[in-house]
Amino acid sequence: MGRKLDPANKVKRGPGRKARKQKGAEAELAKFLDGRIGTTSVIRHIFLLPKNTKYLVMCALRVAKRGLKLADMWRILPLDLKSIYQRIKGNVEVLSDFNNRREEGKDRADYLSLLKEDLCTYYSYNTFLIEKLLEIFPLSELIDFLEANEIQRPITIRTNTLKTRRRDLAQALINRGVNLDPLGKWSKVGLVIFDSPVPIGATPEYLAGHYMLQGASSLLPVMALSPQEGESILDMSAAPGGKTTYMAQLMKNTGLIVANDASAERLKSVVGNIHRLGVTNTIICNYDGRQFPKVMGGFDRVLLDAPCSGTGVISKDPAVKTSKEEIDIKRCAHLQKELILSAIDSLNAESPTGGYLVYCTCSIMVEENEWVLDYALKKRNVKLVPTGLDFGKEGFTRFKHHRFHPSLRLSRRFYPHSHNVDGFFVAKLKKFSNTVPTTTVDENPGDAPSTVEKTKLKAKKQTPSKSDTDNKKTETNGNPAKSITKKSPGPLNKKMKMDGKKPQKFVKKEGAAAQQAEKTGEKKEGNRFEKKEGKKKWKKPMKEKRMGNNKFKKFKKMGQKAARA
């Protein structure tokens, strides 16, 4: 019977193969760690935790290699995730009713710091991202969001109505054994795939262009844009072409679509999808979106799916959990501000049917969504309008100490735990004037109005009044021309010096022009700003060219050598 027990004779025949391997691993580990980490009793205690002895030996080797202490070995050993999850739930319950459930001697900061550490450990996020999510979501909703990111979103496809109908496509796929359902009441072309015995991306229907593999959330921006037949549309970031082909089928291959993307490599997928789906009204180009208004403009509608940090699609790309830091969010936000301004400049406000821009990202960060829109509202003549989407949560009008434009509640946020789609943000803007405002706006989001007022007040304080300038003129012992030349801007003085003209003559002309303007009642507003710039830029001209310290030392040494010789 080999190593098995004899049912007739109930006597064990000695240790089996696994037991001998366990004993040998213990002996090997004890021999290696003897005198380095601790006693053999501690080693036996360590071996009782996991069953995989090979993993333990590797852990011990890593500990010894790093020169760590025995206490640090517990960081390498497997953690008890069940106890961590129970602790997370307990902390969330305490923080939801803190006054009644908290322990004596502990404040809210202690509970929050422990909760952050547990969330980072259990869900494998970095500290920065967990802190950001705690600012956006309430605690109970945050756990739901993190749990939803651990589950893959259902596979969805979009019917290409240029070649077939959804009913016919669904029947054809059901005949192939595919288990599917309509996406929802809000979409007339979407289908959800639950199970399929054949690859969805390799069926004859797919190769014939009857459908496109596309996430449910990426249908929303095109529905919000609502392109009409015969219009000219710009898709500023078109790759891989799902939104572009959806717009083409809504326009029934009429009008014109310009599909642009900054990456020539990604445009190859756009070309392939356009040919496969039978789209004929699209031109593909490869330009930097920030410079696109210099290439062409005057579009009826623009779709901007801006590059983002991808914090809404963590279920597709788990690397986002640990790879994103604050500098990445700021870099994306700066690029998005540049792109949204160029997208607005590409629009034609006088279009009879359009003048609309849809801005969307697959991020849930406020810095990449509401802050960017608030900046665009102050830099261009645009306003927010309803998206036309029946579901989704309203955008933020206040976040921490920042206050945004009240119309931002017309934007829509989509979350995986609430709507079973990828995290997404959609907003629709209407351009009402082609002129660009000349007012300067602070780029710090949420603080622009207050900072602009401060700069205006500061400018008023710095610009001298008429009475102050008259007093300064009288203090110069009857020589007003001399005092004015001191206050005049630096570039003017340089020009006069080059031309060889005396500054007094120039000032007399300027004074005569000013007197004539006062008689006619005209005000010269540029003078005070020129004086203000002059104060900043003015530097006294040096009589002789100053020699640098290094050059002086060099000449000094040369002189000393010459004297010695």
Side-chain angles (χ1 to χ4, degrees), residues 111-383:
Y111 283 99
L112 280 173
S113 63
L114 181 60
L115 180 63
K116 286 177 188 176
E117 290 178 7
D118 289 342
L119 289 174
C120 293
T121 305
Y122 189 79
Y123 293 103
S124 304
Y125 284 78
N126 60 8
T127 309
F128 164 75
L129 203 54
I130 287 292
E131 288 176 352
K132 280 290 181 186
L133 294 175
L134 279 168
E135 293 172 356
I136 296 173
F137 297 108
L139 287 174
S140 58
E141 193 175 356
L142 174 63
I143 304 300
D144 296 337
F145 174 77
L146 296 175
E147 286 290 341
N149 285 336
E150 302 300 313
I151 305 167
Q152 291 288 331
R153 302 276 79 73
I155 299 172
T156 55
I157 61 174
R158 172 181 56 82
T159 309
N160 180 20
T161 54
L162 294 174
K163 292 191 173 184
T164 186
R165 294 182 299 177
R166 184 168 71 167
R167 182 175 55 189
D168 300 337
L169 174 64
Q171 189 59 50
L173 292 176
I174 288 170
N175 293 339
R176 297 188 183 278
V178 179
N179 185 14
L180 54 82
D181 260 341
L183 180 57
K185 294 181 179 178
W186 55 272
S187 175
K188 296 180 179 178
V189 293
L191 290 169
V192 184
I193 308 296
F194 296 110
D195 186 27
S196 174
V198 293
I200 293 297
T203 62
E205 287 79 15
Y206 176 83
L207 298 174
H210 289 185
Y211 65 89
M212 173 88 175
L213 278 165
Q214 191 170 359
S217 56
S218 62
L219 302 177
L220 300 170
V222 180
M223 294 171 63
L225 186 64
S226 184
Q228 305 298 315
E229 296 180 24
E231 288 184 334
S232 60
I233 313 288
L234 169 63
D235 190 354
M236 193 166 273
S237 299
K243 300 179 186 66
T244 304
T245 52
Y246 188 17
M247 288 190 291
Q249 77 178 46
L250 290 176
M251 297 168 67
K252 298 179 182 178
N253 263 342
T254 62
L256 172 67
I257 298 175
V258 176
N260 177 69
D261 201 273
S263 172
E265 191 66 27
R266 297 188 71 201
L267 280 174
K268 293 178 182 178
S269 61
V270 182
V271 175
N273 285 322
I274 282 175
H275 284 301
R276 183 173 60 84
L277 296 169
V279 175
T280 58
N281 65 339
T282 301
I283 297 172
I284 298 174
C285 56
N286 175 219
Y287 291 103
D288 185 354
R290 294 170 289 185
Q291 308 298 326
F292 201 83
K294 297 177 182 178
V295 180
M296 64 182 80
F299 292 96
D300 296 316
R301 297 170 197 257
V302 175
L303 175 63
L304 174 58
D305 185 5
C308 62
S309 59
T311 51
V313 289
I314 295 175
S315 59
K316 290 181 180 177
D317 185 13
V320 177
K321 293 180 179 181
T322 54
S323 63
K324 299 301 176 185
E325 296 291 341
E326 188 174 3
I327 188 170
D328 301 312
I329 307 298
K330 288 182 177 178
R331 191 183 293 114
C332 288
H334 181 71
L335 175 62
Q336 288 156 359
K337 286 176 184 177
E338 293 179 317
L339 286 172
I340 195 171
L341 292 185
S342 65
I344 293 169
D345 293 339
S346 301
L347 271 174
N348 180 20
E350 297 175 358
S351 170
T353 59
Y356 293 103
L357 162 70
V358 167
Y359 173 82
C360 61
T361 64
C362 55
S363 172
I364 60 170
M365 292 292 158
V366 179
E367 291 88 342
E368 301 179 70
N369 298 320
E370 283 86 357
W371 282 2
V372 175
L373 286 173
D374 191 67
Y375 174 77
L377 288 172
K378 292 164 185 170
K379 291 288 284 184
R380 293 293 185 269
N381 292 319
V382 292
K383 61 180 180 180

Side-chain angles (χ1 to χ4, degrees), residues 87-103 106-116 118-119 134 138-140 142-143:
R87 192 164 59 199
I88 289 171
K89 289 180 70 177
N91 285 334
V92 169
E93 289 175 1
V94 171
L95 289 168
S96 60
D97 190 9
F98 187 71
N99 293 330
N100 298 327
R101 297 188 179 185
R102 72 186 183 97
E103 296 179 13
K106 281 190 175 182
D107 56 356
R108 186 178 287 270
D110 297 333
Y111 283 99
L112 280 173
S113 63
L114 181 60
L115 180 63
K116 286 177 188 176
D118 289 342
L119 289 174
L134 279 168
L139 287 174
S140 58
L142 174 63
I143 304 300

